[in-house]
Amino acid sequence: MSRRPTILDVAARAGVSKSTVSLVLQNSAQVKAETREAVRAAMAEIGYVYNRAAAQMRSQTAGLVGLVINDLRNPFFTEFATVLQMTLAAKGYATVIANSDEDPDLQAKLIGSMIEHGVSALVVSPAYDDAGDAFDQIARAGIPAMQVLRKTDPRTGLFPFASFDYAAGSALATRHLLDQGAKRIAFVGGMEGRAITEERKSGYLAELKRAGIAPFTHHGRSSRAFGVEAVNNLPDDVDAAVCFNDLVALGMLSGFARAGVELGRDFRLVGFDDIEDCAQVWPLVSSIGCDIESFAQDVADGLLAWMQTGETPPPEHRAPVELIARTSSTGTID
Amino acid sequence: MSRRPTILDVAARAGVSKSTVSLVLQNSAQVKAETREAVRAAMAEIGYVYNRAAAQMRSQTAGLVGLVINDLRNPFFTEFATVLQMTLAAKGYATVIANSDEDPDLQAKLIGSMIEHGVSALVVSPAYDDAGDAFDQIARAGIPAMQVLRKTDPRTGLFPFASFDYAAGSALATRHLLDQGAKRIAFVGGMEGRAITEERKSGYLAELKRAGIAPFTHHGRSSRAFGVEAVNNLPDDVDAAVCFNDLVALGMLSGFARAGVELGRDFRLVGFDDIEDCAQVWPLVSSIGCDIESFAQDVADGLLAWMQTGETPPPEHRAPVELIARTSSTGTID
DNA sequence: CTGAAAGCGCTTACAG
DNA sequence: CTGAAAGCGCTTACAG
């Protein structure tokens, strides 16, 4: 039990040269099947473990992908991270995951650390208010990197942006609420001025304009807590709401439950993202479904192609969304 | 813009030898402050990026920690993973995170990959039904590794186990429900026979025995969906429940809301884990608080000590838990 | 299809 | 406090 065995030990054991062992490790077709088997057997016998650091140093590629997320505790991002990690793992890439916790300085540090670790590519759902350091760093390192779900760097040629068609989503939600007979619809949640808030609001505003109804927006944090409080901060004539996201909608659901207001009858609600909870609370919460699983897979596939063939993903990709109408907006039970 | 600069380029620029540059990189005290500054300046000027693969190869340490989680989508584990990652990042370690999705084969592959990447330590919340491959692999590699929240390998000397004092938790919950006047208390959720289920059940069984009341257990998956259905599968005289976890409790909450049963009055409920949602749904859900944030920090600290000083954590650590009584069991509003 | 040689970018004793 | 030299374990042309 001295040191870990190396390819030299494997070579000695199998009676071949170390180059041959290296070729076997890379599944090269130029090694005879028989030789390959002998080498594999030798590896198993002596308990050889591939040393990626050495390989990485020589070949300049680590089989490592970095993922930096602004809020990893948000189930929407967790699901994204999980599917991305699993898809990449299936292709032989390990994923270094980090939560920037909406902190641009931490984000810059994390990205720097990942670059040092030699990640082959990065996926970033960026914190807002970044001074540009994060992506400048990546640009200097010349690593393929994508912006997902949030865009903070305008260089989408360099850092392609992938997200959902949020404007279409809120338009769908608004039209649906009007169809259900809503007279005055509020838009609740989301920090004013942020790109994602404005996108999600734009479809709502467009539909209301078309219907000749005045909008009412109540902005704020995208949390359950904000949703709970929002219930008490709406004008009396508001009888429906499009929420910035499901967390806000779920918070409003709790607030209304507490206040004895029956959702789907006294008030109509549509969330955004269709996280799992929407179908598991009562009343069931209508939402704009963003198929995060397919989205994460698409991102993974695009990234793999980029790393392997050099083919850059399109500068902007908008995944389709759909309305999932449930009790909170229809009042019907299923 | 040819290749990335190396310490040789930095040395040339700063007018020192490459050893000096290396020492500066390691914050060695033997370099004069003045020299250090000159070297740092040179690095910044030429855009030097530390190459960890090379360092790792020579020093045999990567500054990388592996985290393998059986279900990364579960908010309890997400929180754990997030805090662990952030604590390690603050100490200069990057974290490779992977979701084994309860699949022992995938788990073995992921651990193998992490070992190849040269992780300095591993933290595993293992999938059940592992044939032992996972930890055997780690044992062979001789890497510090901890089992957290679930124990599947009995070698706690080699793989220390850290978790919460679950038995005390369910005893607390049961006693509390009895104090509230519950006559017949069920234990709902958790797969029968699994260590964690049996632990969480043991305190419940002990308290009921003490009170001379017959237990009623309804086992099953630890999901909201199971909780929703469980509501319809309890004997009529059951008027309270200790749930295996909060997901089950939240599912039951939805089920009762749908059935028009008022929690805290018609039925009393205590969950387990005290995830964020408990305080944000309505009625508020009582739960056994497991301070996952402190726990994750303790695990991180223990692991850092182990890596740095070789001091092994205790074979078994049980973090204390507390009862958080809320509306679902007390019927009172705050 | 296989072998001998060079080199990836660092760290680590060792001399000075 | 600083410099010259060896070597970590692979991959990569290049010969054969």
Side-chain angles (χ1 to χ4, degrees), chain A residues 44-126:
Chain A
E45 283 161 22
I46 65 179
Y48 170 75
V49 174
Y50 186 55
N51 182 329
R52 277 185 190 267
Q56 174 180 356
M57 193 174 147
R58 187 63 234 254
S59 66
Q60 312 280 25
T61 167
L64 212 56
V65 170
L67 175 60
V68 182
I69 297 284
N70 56 289
D71 179 11
L72 200 50
R73 293 176 172 103
N74 180 325
F76 190 64
F77 289 115
T78 306
E79 179 70 16
F80 173 72
T82 305
V83 175
L84 189 79
Q85 177 266 314
M86 294 182 73
T87 307
L88 291 172
K91 301 288 183 180
Y93 287 86
T95 309
V96 186
I97 301 179
N99 182 30
S100 68
D101 220 32
E102 305 287 7
D103 176 347
D105 293 334
L106 179 55
Q107 173 176 271
K109 278 203 194 79
L110 291 168
I111 290 174
S113 161
M114 289 183 180
I115 293 172
E116 288 185 356
H117 278 286
V119 293
S120 306
L122 279 161
V123 175
V124 186
S125 172

Side-chain angles (χ1 to χ4, degrees), chain B residues 24 36 44 53 55 60 62 64 123 127 129 147 157 173 193 232 242 244 248 252-253 256 265 267 283 290 300 318:
Chain B
V24 170
R36 191 195 339 268
Q60 312 280 26
L64 211 55
V123 176
D129 309 320
Q147 308 183 70
N232 304 315
V242 174
F244 171 75
V248 172
M252 289 184 74
L253 176 135
F256 281 130
R265 192 191 60 184
F267 195 97
C290 300
R318 292 283 177 177

